[in-house]
Amino acid sequence: MQRLSIRKFLNNTYLAYTIAFLFLIISMIFAISIGTVSVPILTIIQIIGSKLFAGLTYDIEPMFTSIVMNIRLPRVILSGLVGAALAIAGAAFQGLLRNPLADPYTLGVSSGASVGAVLTLFFQLSIPFIGSYTLPVLSILFSFLSIFLVLIFARQIDQSMKVETIILTGIILSSFLGALISLMIALTGDELRQIIGWLLGSVSMRGWEYIKIILPFFIIGSFLLIFQAKELNAMSFGEERAQHLGVDVRKRKLLILLAASILTGAAVAVSGTIGFVGLVIPHLCRILWGPDHKHLLPLSILTGSGFLILADLLSRTIISPTELPIGVITALIGAPVFAAILLQRRGRNKNG
């Protein structure tokens, strides 16, 4: 019996991680290789290998090295980190609220982060001692304030704080914050182009500096959520049941919301608003590989990362040399996919 359970575990989990990891690696290779100038895959491996291992030397054209190391690799890594951050945050929100419609955007967290970022750009703010980290810190602060306001208002409307009430409150707050952003844009002078470009969502020309900005927040937020996987599993059956199982629901909920807000705020700070990643990817992973957050969270990281890398590749090649905002691509792909998932789920419920 034990032998069969081990075999079942290896067949399912090992395969899931293999597929997700291969998807990420293939996405990265294609994204680095394809562009105005095509870089051969072998050359990419040689360039990265020579940078990682000092003893390795290859006869590589300097132009290829510059394209890979200064333009495409940082862009691919940044888009991967943003996709991973939004996907794991979405998985956490969906698990916590027990609803596939919950994600950083429907809950107003992303809009809050956007307000923080736009304020930073609008007033050219720079907090002493943290310098370049002012943008992500204020984005994270405003994203956490947004979810805090959502929960307060939801509690005022409905003491039981039903999931539907929280999501509806999030949508209302998101609309209000969107109006605030529009007001700031209307009052903007020289910063207008920068703010509009940022709001449309992009990882273009960000470079290694932006990776350094998001990376610490991504590591902290991801580890906080992954260590709450057991509690998320318990809370996915309802808060009352989780309480009976010994989970400090209030403390864990606050920690999960804080971690997801850190991830959302950092992602929005470096890339602008990119929708549907946190909505579709966790839901897709849950359908493919099950609802256990112990595996759902890391699989969402890998899949979300690969998805946004491919979306960014499409955004810069589909009408080359013009670049589309990456948020347009994720919406064009994500909206129909999510609609199909919901229709399939509705059909299954009717048959069931």
Side-chain angles (χ1 to χ4, degrees), residues 105 198-203 271-277 308 311-312 315 324-335:
Y105 291 85
W198 177 85
L199 282 171
L200 289 171
S202 175
V203 289
S271 67
T273 49
I274 299 171
F276 284 98
V277 181
L308 202 66
D312 180 52
S315 76
L324 285 173
I326 193 170
V328 172
I329 301 296
T330 57
L332 288 173
I333 297 170

Side-chain angles (χ1 to χ4, degrees), residues 148-162 165-166 169:
F148 186 65
L149 284 171
V150 166
L151 294 175
I152 288 173
F153 285 129
R155 193 171 187 83
Q156 292 296 319
I157 296 165
D158 180 7
Q159 284 294 318
S160 62
M161 288 182 72
K162 289 178 183 174
T165 307
I166 293 172
T169 309

Side-chain angles (χ1 to χ4, degrees), residues 171-202:
I171 292 168
I172 293 166
L173 182 66
S174 186
S175 300
F176 174 73
L177 293 175
L180 277 182
I181 292 169
S182 299
L183 176 63
M184 280 187 275
I185 288 170
L187 298 172
T188 313
D190 297 336
E191 301 87 5
L192 178 63
R193 189 167 189 162
Q194 184 187 4
I195 292 172
I196 292 289
W198 177 85
L199 282 171
L200 289 171
S202 175

Side-chain angles (χ1 to χ4, degrees), residues 82-94 97 99-114 142-144 146-147 150 167 170-171 173-174 177 225 257 259-268 272-282:
V82 170
L86 292 174
I88 189 175
F93 281 130
Q94 288 175 13
L97 299 174
N99 193 299
L101 292 175
D103 90 317
Y105 291 85
T106 54
L107 292 172
V109 180
S110 172
S111 297
S114 297
F142 274 82
S143 65
F144 189 68
S146 297
I147 194 67
V150 166
I167 290 173
I171 292 168
L173 182 66
S174 186
L177 293 175
L225 286 183
L257 290 173
S261 298
I262 287 171
L263 288 161
T264 305
V268 168
T273 49
I274 299 171
F276 284 98
V277 181
L279 192 67
V280 174
I281 298 301

Side-chain angles (χ1 to χ4, degrees), residues 11-161:
N11 286 344
N12 292 327
T13 310
Y14 178 74
L15 184 63
Y17 280 100
T18 303
I19 291 168
F21 186 71
L22 283 174
F23 172 62
L24 174 57
I25 295 298
I26 291 166
S27 300
M28 290 182 73
I29 290 169
F30 274 116
I32 297 170
S33 175
I34 298 170
T36 309
V37 176
S38 295
V39 182
I41 292 171
L42 181 60
T43 304
I44 295 168
I45 294 167
Q46 289 174 343
I47 291 168
I48 296 172
S50 64
K51 295 294 178 183
L52 291 175
F53 307 103
L56 291 175
T57 53
Y58 300 99
D59 184 21
I60 304 165
E61 196 174 327
M63 181 186 70
F64 285 151
T65 304
S66 178
I67 288 170
V68 170
M69 296 308 299
N70 299 329
I71 301 171
R72 292 194 191 159
L73 185 60
R75 180 168 182 159
V76 164
I77 292 172
L78 185 63
S79 57
L81 286 170
V82 170
L86 292 174
I88 189 175
F93 281 130
Q94 288 175 13
L96 183 66
L97 299 174
R98 307 183 303 284
N99 193 299
L101 292 175
D103 90 317
Y105 291 85
T106 54
L107 292 172
V109 180
S110 172
S111 297
S114 297
V115 169
V118 170
L119 280 171
T120 307
L121 296 171
F122 184 77
F123 292 109
Q124 298 291 304
L125 299 175
S126 180
I127 299 172
F129 307 113
I130 64 172
S132 62
Y133 286 94
T134 301
L135 188 60
V137 166
L138 286 180
S139 289
I140 289 163
L141 178 63
F142 274 82
S143 65
F144 189 68
L145 283 172
S146 297
I147 194 67
F148 186 65
L149 284 171
V150 166
L151 294 175
I152 288 173
F153 285 129
R155 193 171 187 83
Q156 292 296 319
I157 296 165
D158 180 7
Q159 284 294 318
S160 62
M161 288 182 72

Side-chain angles (χ1 to χ4, degrees), residues 305-322:
S305 183
F307 170 75
L308 202 66
I309 288 168
L310 287 181
D312 180 52
L313 173 62
L314 277 174
S315 76
R316 63 182 171 84
T317 57
I318 198 166
I319 54 169
S320 180
T322 306

